[in-house]
Amino acid sequence: MTLKIESKPDHFFRIDLYGYMKAVRESLATFINAAHTDEVVMVSNATHGINVILHNLQLKEGDILIGFNTTYVAISSTLRRYADATPTPQLQIITLTFPTTPEAITSTFRRHIEQNVKRTAGTRVVALIDAIISNPGALLPWEELVQICKENGIVSVVDAAHAIGQIPLDMQRADPDYLVSNCHKWLYTKRSSSILYTPKRNHQSMRWTFPISIGYTSPPNEVKFAEQYEWLGTIDYAPYLSVIPALQFRKELGGEDRIRSYCHGLAREGGSKMAEILGTELMDKDDKFTANMVDVLLPLSEEEIKILPSDAPDIIHTRLLENWHCMSAVYKHNGKIWTRASAQIWIEVSDFEYVARALATICRDLVQEATGSQ
Amino acid sequence: MALKIESKPDYFFRIELFGYMKAVRESLATFINASHIDEVVMVPNATHGINVILHNLQLKEGDILIGFNTTYVAISSTLRRYADATPTPQLQIITLAFPTTPEAIISTFRKHIEQNVKRTAGTRVVALIDAIISNPGVLLPWEELVQICKENRIVSVVDAAHAIGQIPLDMQRTDPDYLVSNCHKWLYTKRSSSILYTPKRNHQSMRWTFPISEGYTSPPNEVKFAEQYEWLGTIDYAPYLSVIPDENSEALQFRKELGGEDRIRSYCHGLAREGGSKMAEILGTELMDKDDKFTANMVDVLLPLSEEEIKILPSNVPGIIHTRLLENWHCMSAVYKHNGKIWTRASAQIWIEVSDF
């Protein structure tokens, strides 16, 4: 595709592109069961998508913005940016601590709303809901959370960055107000390509693309949601266009169920082996939150964590990459240090075992270095 | 570079990227004579750059936003978007009509400011200045316009989309308040890669990247301009990295091997003038810029369509001509309406010659 674009760029950009992009959006709209092709547009990444939604919501003084402590760092920075600016919405952060249960999470959310969401006429309440958290790599009962939002007149902005290609998405069933998901994570497309989904009922609230480009229509003219996103300045379109071959490839592999089944099974089995080798435990013992990622406790006690450098997760990342040529995200949560391993179709249980041995060695070394230097 | 990134993506993104990007910004900062490497960051394209500047300026009621009728369509849409929103700045559009002279343009700008920029204390005035316009493809006396802005306490936002690699850029000499330029146009980098230049004095006014990411610092903490732009979510970094020399000779290295900036400019400019003249001859028309007052590497030629003929043509005739050029003749020359006539803008590049014109 890149060769095609580069060999006749003017022809491609002026004549071919529109048809290709329509096919991309059509296939993705079908894939996520959106009611209409024009509810799906492409953006560069989920962070951009969430930002452009919040940008358009134009939160004002007294509006309420709800997030979670487990929100991805760029998104929590974004929520903070809105809380820093005037007009100033009220930022409320709900704390989740894993291990927990889906029932506890939905109950926490309901309780928070009952106790903290006090509104007057005209107050807008917006909730930033993760479908699958990043650290830990946990699948949330997000569709129930969206439902709770609807019951309470809360706008649901779903950061489903990890979702497409990892879990089934059904927009007509879940019916969020907005949703973004990265195709370059689990859908096998080229980096970077992401969907921004907005149901037709919310199109008129999405007047501003970022950047603004030729598709911008002044109020009170109708917002042409999908049309605006056709051209936002020159970019490399190959990543967006890689959606079609990616979807085809997934079909050839045996389809979504087969991919999911392999990856999920591998996550559970691989995770268990890691816990065994590390002498620790899984965060999600009962498979309540596992899609294709698994979180395992690292063999570091609370006392040991206290004497380690504060950037221990990054140090572990560097050693995994430099010395062991592998990677498993390491992060702090609820006073402990965990690792999140991702199961993919090109790896198997022995890879999880390898990573676990690497982590065991690195953790031991870190503790020795820390106690040695005391 | 793409192979390098894909073979060890975690390693690349977590360990190598920062060093590579620093080298890219360093070479570009040197290339445009910025006083500090941290005055240059990469963004996907000029449209994005201009939008993020205006986003941060936070224009309020009564502020004045000055643009030109010749501004690129995406940017004029952007100016309109700000005029549509509340708080509502006052949008003033200055009309330029080519052919004209650099002196006339400067004088028009000065006159506009004298007559239309009425300010009270606290009024901000921002001017969107093109370095090289798109349609027509003309080089403006933009450095003088920036100087006039300084004399009148007007914030200068320079859309130099076409400039880098086409004309010399010297930030320390010109000293605009903000400037963007597309490296993927005339600098031969991979699509899409653009610089956003902000002198240190304006860093504290650029707190918001778009999107916001982990580098965001809440007020009143210092804005770390360059640091914020290090990571704005996952993207393909190959276009930004195509700026610097690598084992495979990336864009700036390639330009040196060709003979350097002066040689490239000299060839392209000469070709634009010669090619344009030949086109005017064949078309039986004329050049927009007869005296080489506005020509960098692009040339604008009148199409042989009288005003009566234009009246009976479909209104989207430039689009129709583009399609026929591409489909039937496998070539391209931008066609546009300006000042009641239809023109074409041809670009001179190192891989073409007079016979192509």
Side-chain angles (χ1 to χ4, degrees):
Chain A
M1 176 53 69
T2 301
L3 271 176
K4 194 186 182 88
I5 299 173
E6 297 311 324
S7 59
K8 295 203 289 185
D10 275 294
H11 193 278
F12 174 82
F13 280 110
R14 292 174 191 271
I15 294 173
D16 297 331
L17 178 62
Y18 177 72
Y20 282 130
M21 284 301 296
K22 192 123 198 268
V24 166
R25 296 193 299 108
E26 213 152 52
S27 63
L28 287 169
T30 303
F31 195 78
I32 66 171
N33 198 27
H36 198 281
T37 299
D38 285 351
E39 294 183 329
V40 176
V41 295
M42 304 302 290
V43 293
S44 50
N45 52 58
T47 307
H48 183 105
I50 296 292
N51 270 260
V52 84
I53 294 163
L54 290 173
H55 183 54
N56 276 279
L57 284 175
Q58 297 182 70
L59 298 167
K60 42 183 218 309
E61 203 73 26
D63 284 344
I64 299 171
L65 185 52
I66 304 173
F68 291 77
N69 66 319
T70 42
T71 293
Y72 181 63
V73 61
I75 305 306
S76 58
S77 296
T78 304
L79 299 182
R80 183 160 47 90
R81 164 260 184 271
Y82 281 97
D84 289 342
T86 43
T88 315
Q90 203 195 125
L91 180 59
Q92 301 175 352
I93 302 292
I94 302 175
T95 299
L96 301 181
T97 51
F98 288 80
T100 180
T101 66
E103 296 72 28
I105 289 176
T106 46
S107 149
T108 298
F109 191 50
R110 278 197 197 285
R111 219 185 8 238
H112 175 90
I113 293 170
E114 276 157 39
Q115 294 172 359
N116 299 88
V117 175
K118 313 285 180 215
R119 50 208 307 180
T120 57
T123 303
R124 302 192 72 191
V125 186
V126 177
L128 209 309
I129 312 249
D130 287 333
I132 300 177
I133 293 169
S134 184
N135 291 339
L139 166 60
L140 292 184
W142 68 280
E143 295 190 59
E144 285 96 315
L145 299 179
V146 167
Q147 205 36 54
I148 295 169
C149 287
K150 286 176 183 306
E151 290 161 18
N152 289 276
I154 295 174
V155 175
S156 51
V157 178
V158 181
D159 180 357
H162 273 274
I164 196 169
Q166 189 174 175
I167 56 170
L169 288 176
D170 186 338
M171 293 301 99
Q172 294 191 61
R173 179 182 73 207
D175 196 36
D177 284 305
Y178 305 89
L179 182 140
V180 303
S181 193
N182 278 331
C183 300
H184 58 255
K185 278 194 188 330
W186 294 85
L187 201 64
Y188 306 160
T189 68
K190 194 176 189 291
R191 182 182 313 111
S192 66
S193 38
S194 185
I195 58 164
L196 164 57
Y197 163 81
T198 303
K200 283 204 151 183
R201 67 175 181 274
N202 289 330
H203 281 189
Q204 296 314 306
S205 69
M206 289 288 280
R207 191 174 292 277
W208 298 329
T209 56
F210 200 100
I212 295 285
S213 192
I214 33 179
Y216 171 71
T217 58
S218 290
N221 294 304
E222 198 189 344
V223 174
K224 305 251 170 90
F225 179 65
E227 220 173 274
Q228 298 183 127
Y229 280 88
E230 277 165 22
W231 187 264
L232 297 181
T234 300
I235 61 167
D236 178 8
Y237 278 90
Y240 294 169
L241 300 177
S242 71
V243 166
I244 307 265
L247 291 180
Q248 181 58 28
F249 177 59
R250 295 170 75 83
K251 284 204 181 97
E252 286 166 13
L253 287 171
E256 296 305 312
D257 287 341
R258 181 147 188 230
I259 294 170
R260 253 199 310 277
S261 162
Y262 178 82
C263 293
H264 178 261
L266 178 57
R268 294 303 301 173
E269 199 189 340
S272 299
K273 284 284 192 295
M274 286 177 75
E276 221 176 293
I277 291 170
L278 291 167
T280 59
E281 60 188 31
L282 294 180
M283 180 184 277
D284 179 24
K285 296 184 177 63
D286 304 321
D287 199 2
K288 292 281 172 83
F289 296 101
T290 305
N292 301 349
M293 298 188 280
V294 64
D295 301 89
V296 187
L297 186 63
L298 287 192
L300 296 165
S301 69
E302 288 192 42
E303 292 70 39
E304 287 170 332
I305 292 172
K306 284 200 181 78
I307 62 171
L308 290 178
S310 61
D311 61 342
D314 282 328
I315 297 175
I316 299 173
H317 287 158
T318 304
R319 291 188 191 190
L320 282 170
L321 289 165
E322 301 268 23
N323 305 339
W324 298 80
H325 308 295
C326 65
M327 181 61 192
S328 185
V330 176
Y331 60 93
K332 293 182 181 177
H333 179 77
N334 204 15
K336 301 190 175 134
I337 300 184
W338 303 79
T339 189
R340 173 201 77 187
S342 298
Q344 263 297 4
I345 57 170
W346 54 80
I347 53 176
E348 44 183 38
V349 178
S350 59
D351 295 301
F352 284 75
E353 292 169 334
Y354 176 82
V355 167
R357 286 196 296 275
L359 286 166
T361 307
I362 295 170
C363 287
R364 206 172 41 239
D365 290 346
L366 276 178
V367 170
Q368 268 170 18
E369 289 159 28
T371 47
S373 64
Q374 290 201 309
Chain B
M1 178 52 72
L3 270 175
K4 195 187 182 84
I5 299 173
E6 297 312 324
S7 57
K8 295 203 288 186
D10 274 294
Y11 190 88
F12 174 82
F13 280 111
R14 291 174 190 269
I15 294 173
E16 297 180 308
L17 178 63
F18 178 71
Y20 281 129
M21 284 302 295
K22 198 138 193 255
V24 166
R25 297 193 298 109
E26 209 150 47
S27 71
L28 287 170
T30 303
F31 194 78
I32 66 171
N33 198 27
S35 46
H36 195 280
I37 174 191
D38 283 349
E39 294 182 329
V40 176
V41 295
M42 304 302 291
V43 292
N45 52 58
T47 306
H48 183 106
I50 295 292
N51 270 260
V52 83
I53 294 162
L54 290 173
H55 182 54
N56 276 279
L57 283 175
Q58 297 183 69
L59 297 166
K60 43 185 214 311
E61 203 74 25
D63 284 345
I64 299 171
L65 185 52
I66 304 172
F68 291 78
N69 66 318
T70 42
T71 293
Y72 180 63
V73 61
I75 305 306
S76 58
S77 295
T78 304
L79 299 181
R80 183 159 48 90
R81 164 257 184 275
Y82 281 98
D84 289 342
T86 42
T88 315
Q90 203 195 125
L91 180 59
Q92 300 175 352
I93 303 292
I94 302 174
T95 299
L96 300 181
F98 289 82
T100 180
T101 65
E103 297 71 29
I105 289 175
I106 291 166
S107 148
T108 298
F109 191 50
R110 279 197 195 285
K111 216 162 35 206
H112 175 91
I113 294 168
E114 275 156 40
Q115 294 171 358
N116 298 88
V117 174
K118 312 286 179 216
R119 50 208 307 178
T120 56
T123 303
R124 301 191 73 191
V125 186
V126 177
L128 209 309
I129 312 251
D130 287 332
I132 299 178
I133 293 171
S134 183
N135 290 339
V138 295
L139 168 60
L140 291 184
W142 68 283
E143 296 188 69
E144 287 93 326
L145 299 180
V146 168
Q147 201 42 48
I148 295 170
C149 286
K150 287 177 182 308
E151 291 161 17
N152 290 276
R153 285 176 301 116
I154 294 174
V155 175
S156 51
V157 177
V158 181
D159 180 358
H162 273 275
I164 196 169
Q166 189 173 177
I167 57 170
L169 288 176
D170 186 337
M171 294 301 98
Q172 293 190 59
R173 178 182 75 206
T174 317
D175 196 38
D177 285 305
Y178 306 89
L179 181 140
V180 303
S181 194
N182 280 331
C183 300
H184 58 255
K185 279 197 192 320
W186 294 86
L187 201 63
Y188 306 160
T189 67
K190 194 177 190 292
R191 180 184 315 111
S192 67
S193 39
S194 185
I195 57 163
L196 163 57
Y197 163 82
T198 304
K200 283 204 152 185
R201 68 174 181 273
N202 288 331
H203 281 189
Q204 296 313 306
S205 69
M206 289 288 279
R207 191 174 292 277
W208 298 330
T209 55
F210 201 100
I212 295 285
S213 193
E214 3 169 29
Y216 170 71
T217 57
S218 289
N221 295 305
E222 198 190 346
V223 173
K224 306 252 171 88
F225 179 64
E227 221 172 273
Q228 299 183 125
Y229 279 88
E230 275 166 23
W231 186 264
L232 297 181
T234 300
I235 61 167
D236 178 8
Y237 279 88
Y240 294 169
L241 300 178
S242 69
V243 170
I244 54 157
D246 188 61
E247 308 92 84
N248 298 312
S249 276
E250 313 289 7
L252 287 184
Q253 179 62 24
F254 176 60
R255 295 172 75 82
K256 285 200 181 100
E257 285 166 11
L258 287 171
E261 298 303 315
D262 287 342
R263 182 151 185 226
I264 294 171
R265 255 198 308 278
S266 161
Y267 177 81
C268 292
H269 177 262
L271 178 57
R273 296 302 302 171
E274 199 190 339
S277 299
K278 284 285 194 293
M279 286 176 74
E281 222 179 278
I282 293 170
L283 291 168
T285 58
E286 61 187 31
L287 294 179
M288 180 183 278
D289 179 23
K290 296 184 176 62
D291 304 321
D292 200 1
K293 292 281 172 81
F294 296 102
T295 305
N297 301 349
M298 298 188 279
V299 64
D300 301 89
V301 187
L302 187 63
L303 288 191
L305 296 165
S306 69
E307 288 191 41
E308 292 71 36
E309 287 170 330
I310 292 172
K311 282 200 182 80
I312 60 170
L313 290 175
S315 62
N316 65 333
V317 62
I320 296 174
I321 299 175
H322 288 157
T323 304
R324 292 190 193 190
L325 280 171
L326 290 164
E327 301 270 24
N328 304 341
W329 297 79
H330 308 297
C331 65
M332 181 62 193
S333 185
V335 175
Y336 59 93
K337 293 181 179 176
H338 179 77
N339 206 13
K341 300 189 177 138
I342 300 184
W343 304 78
T344 189
R345 174 200 76 189
S347 298
Q349 263 297 4
I350 57 170
W351 54 80
I352 54 176
E353 45 181 38
V354 178
S355 59
D356 295 300
F357 284 75

